Amino acid sequence: MINLEKLSDRDLPPLKPMVIRLWQLLNAPNTRLQDIVEAMSAEPVLCARIMAISNSPLYRGLDEITSPQKALVRLGLNEVKGIVYYLTLADSVTKNAFPPSFSVRRFWTHSLSTALLSKKLIQYYPSLFPMSPEDQDGTYLAGLLHDIGYVVMATLMPAEFTTMTKIWEAGGQDPMDVEEKLFGVGHPLLSAKALKLWKFPKNVQLAVYAHHRSVAQDSPPSIMLIKLADYLATKAGYHFNPMFTADMKGLSVPLFLLENDYQPVVEEVALKVETLVNQAFA
């Protein structure tokens, strides 16, 4: 069983000091562009991937991007921030030893699509999710990391994780009951604990913790946003745990959020998902 009280940051995917420094720069209020460029340049592989993304059909301009500074200008700071979070975390997780039953690509595809949908839903439907700029900044990370508890399960208890995936294939059981029985904790609480150890904001921790819970219409917008994004990602075919079906997730999404046609947003996000996932696993 996983003891939350004894869980430490050593049990999480290891992050390089330079990656943490880059995260801090991207979130600091008055960071100079040159500081970010220098931090990116200290990670050559990351730098090359960001430039490759900036030259992809999704972002391509008239001129080829040949430097991290030009990539930052073309993509914009907020776009770069999301890409850096995704690529650095994907690198950290893929370097861990996982049981064969853990599909790293499927995990990151679901996580990334949820993150990008969270970001786009705020952009296109601001009246549905009234949030402060600070809360908005945390929505991408909440979407990207809402299932990170599965990573902790797979690395700390690989045999039990393999058992769980066999149960997923067989079906017929409540997925949260299965997690509680095998690990002593469900993945939402474990994910929130990981974010606490990583010192992410409390509003991000709360949204991740509540992403499978039934919520009232007056619940914090950040919680309703991640629930809707998680549901739409699953409905689009981007899932990780197949027992958490789109129909099951939809039951806990407030009805007023399901009255809109989100298909154009989903299709736009799908293009980015394919580009970024292919780059992370190139």
Side-chain angles (χ1 to χ4, degrees):
M1 296 293 179
I2 295 176
N3 188 330
L4 287 180
E5 297 300 321
K6 293 184 178 180
L7 197 70
S8 73
D9 56 0
R10 294 187 298 274
D11 299 312
L12 304 179
L15 298 174
K16 298 177 183 178
M18 186 51 67
V19 167
I20 295 175
R21 168 65 176 157
L22 182 54
W23 285 13
Q24 291 170 340
L25 287 171
L26 288 169
N27 286 286
N30 297 310
T31 302
R32 295 183 309 138
L33 180 64
Q34 187 57 36
D35 292 333
I36 298 174
V37 170
E38 290 175 1
M40 284 173 53
S41 299
E43 290 291 327
V45 174
L46 173 65
C47 204
R49 284 178 170 176
I50 290 175
M51 286 191 289
I53 290 169
S54 68
N55 284 314
S56 70
L58 194 61
Y59 298 100
R60 184 177 296 151
L62 295 176
D63 302 318
E64 182 180 4
I65 295 298
T66 56
S67 72
Q69 185 162 355
K70 288 182 178 180
L72 275 170
V73 172
R74 173 173 292 177
L75 297 174
L77 185 58
N78 285 333
E79 194 75 12
V80 168
K81 186 188 298 187
I83 292 170
V84 166
Y85 275 126
Y86 169 67
L87 290 179
T88 53
L89 282 166
D91 277 348
S92 298
V93 170
T94 53
K95 289 176 182 175
N96 280 277
F98 286 110
S101 56
F102 190 101
S103 172
V104 176
R105 190 183 186 104
R106 194 172 72 217
F107 173 80
W108 280 120
T109 299
H110 173 68
S111 299
L112 179 62
S113 58
T114 304
L116 290 174
L117 279 165
S118 296
K119 185 176 179 180
K120 286 297 179 182
L121 287 169
I122 290 179
Q123 180 181 338
Y124 291 123
Y125 301 92
S127 62
L128 291 179
F129 309 104
M131 282 186 266
S132 67
E134 291 177 352
D135 285 345
Q136 289 183 22
D137 284 344
T139 56
Y140 179 93
L141 280 173
L144 189 63
L145 297 168
H146 72 285
D147 279 348
I148 200 72
Y150 283 128
V151 172
V152 182
M153 290 175 175
T155 52
L156 295 184
M157 301 178 67
E160 288 78 3
F161 188 89
T162 297
T163 298
M164 181 169 65
T165 58
K166 291 178 180 178
I167 296 173
W168 290 357
E169 294 171 3
Q173 298 189 47
D174 182 276
M176 204 63 76
D177 288 346
V178 172
E179 294 178 15
E180 294 277 356
K181 181 179 179 180
L182 290 174
F183 302 96
V185 62
H187 77 274
L189 179 55
L190 192 54
S191 297
K193 175 67 174 183
L195 298 190
K196 182 178 181 180
L197 292 172
W198 266 331
K199 297 181 172 58
F200 283 114
K202 288 186 177 180
N203 64 307
V204 178
Q205 298 174 35
L206 178 61
V208 167
Y209 167 73
H211 78 272
H212 277 300
R213 301 178 70 88
S214 295
V215 296
Q217 186 166 328
D218 59 351
S219 296
S222 58
I223 293 177
M224 291 194 287
L225 175 65
I226 191 174
K227 289 181 71 62
L228 179 60
D230 185 27
Y231 160 72
L232 290 175
T234 303
K235 188 178 180 183
Y238 300 127
H239 66 80
F240 180 64
N241 180 344
M243 291 182 72
F244 283 110
T245 64
D247 288 343
M248 180 184 291
K249 291 180 178 180
L251 291 175
S252 66
V253 177
L255 287 176
F256 80 96
L257 290 177
L258 300 177
E259 295 173 351
N260 297 286
D261 178 16
Y262 299 108
Q263 191 57 33
V265 181
V266 173
E267 290 175 358
E268 180 180 344
V269 163
L271 293 174
K272 279 192 177 182
V273 168
E274 298 304 323
T275 297
L276 293 175
V277 169
N278 288 338
Q279 185 55 234
F281 291 91

